[in-house]
Amino acid sequence: YDKAIDGIMDKLIFMSRPNYLTYVAEMNMGTVIHKMDHLSCFLGGNMALGAYTHPDGLSSMKAQRQLKTGKQLAYTCYQMYARSKSGLAPEYVSFNDGQGNDFAKGRDAPYHLLRPEAAESFFILYHLTKDPVYREWGWELFQAIEEHARTDSGYSAIRDVDTLEKENRMESFFMSETLKYLYLLQDDNDDLDLLNEHVLNTEAHPLRLLELTSTPNDLSINTLARIN
């Protein structure tokens, strides 16, 4: 994990101009592409979890570097929403567009699919740090969805975050992930413990961690482990 994160930090993490927003770029055949997908917004929360569970401790240099970068990435994801006219982020943004802006919405992907990755990172960062700013960001995100994506029969993907034309579809991950993260972000009564007791699967379902029991010959899973 550390090797992969070090590679990302050394090769793919950049800062925009003029406001120095931290973003994770892409690389294709050795060429860096200065764009950041909404899908990449999970990385902020991922890095925070890596920092809090780092074997050298949260106070170590590597863990603090990961935590700082994770927070900065989450802020950039928030800006993808906040700087949009509608408050909804496009599928990706391109950086250093030559017009004096930090980023611009992707020309071939101006749509918003109600994706969960930003809400996921906001939830994880709030869960770990208790910084109320992540709740504020999540609430703004939710309000924009309510205003522009809600329909009589559900919620709709948006064809363009500026024109706000609706599409006749709602992705399943919106119900299973996006709304769940936004709810948990505001909930004071959840019993989740992402550091010791629970893990969230790829569809945001919380599962209790299995207890591992080591033996002289193998590493077996305790069949009495608690599972929800």
Side-chain angles (χ1 to χ4, degrees), residues 8 19 33 44 54 63 88 90 111 135 153 159 164 166 206 224:
I8 292 172
N19 293 305
I33 304 169
H54 198 282
L88 297 174
Y111 47 83
R135 280 185 160 178
S153 55
R159 195 178 303 277
L164 294 174
K166 291 182 172 67
L224 298 179

Side-chain angles (χ1 to χ4, degrees), residues 142-197:
F142 176 72
Q143 287 181 306
I145 291 173
E146 279 286 293
E147 180 177 357
H148 301 301
R150 187 165 185 169
T151 71
D152 292 337
S153 55
Y155 291 80
S156 171
I158 302 297
R159 195 178 303 277
D160 188 303
V161 296
D162 289 336
T163 66
L164 294 174
E165 179 185 357
K166 291 182 172 67
E167 296 188 20
N168 187 26
R169 64 183 176 125
M170 181 182 75
E171 301 286 350
S172 62
F173 54 67
F174 175 67
M175 299 293 288
S176 65
E177 297 181 70
T178 309
L179 286 182
K180 188 182 296 180
Y181 285 127
L182 291 174
Y183 173 81
L184 290 172
L185 178 57
Q186 306 297 335
D187 182 24
D188 287 322
N189 298 314
D190 74 79
D191 296 322
L192 290 177
D193 180 354
L194 298 183
L195 297 180
N196 302 294
E197 294 288 336

Side-chain angles (χ1 to χ4, degrees), residues 4 6 16 21 42 69 97 107 110 112 116 135 138 199 205-206:
D6 286 345
S16 68
L21 298 178
F42 83 93
T69 304
D97 64 354
R107 294 180 180 178
H112 179 79
R135 280 185 160 178
V199 62
H205 186 75

Side-chain angles (χ1 to χ4, degrees), residues 26-33:
E26 297 179 3
M27 183 177 286
N28 185 6
M29 302 294 290
T31 300
V32 174
I33 304 169

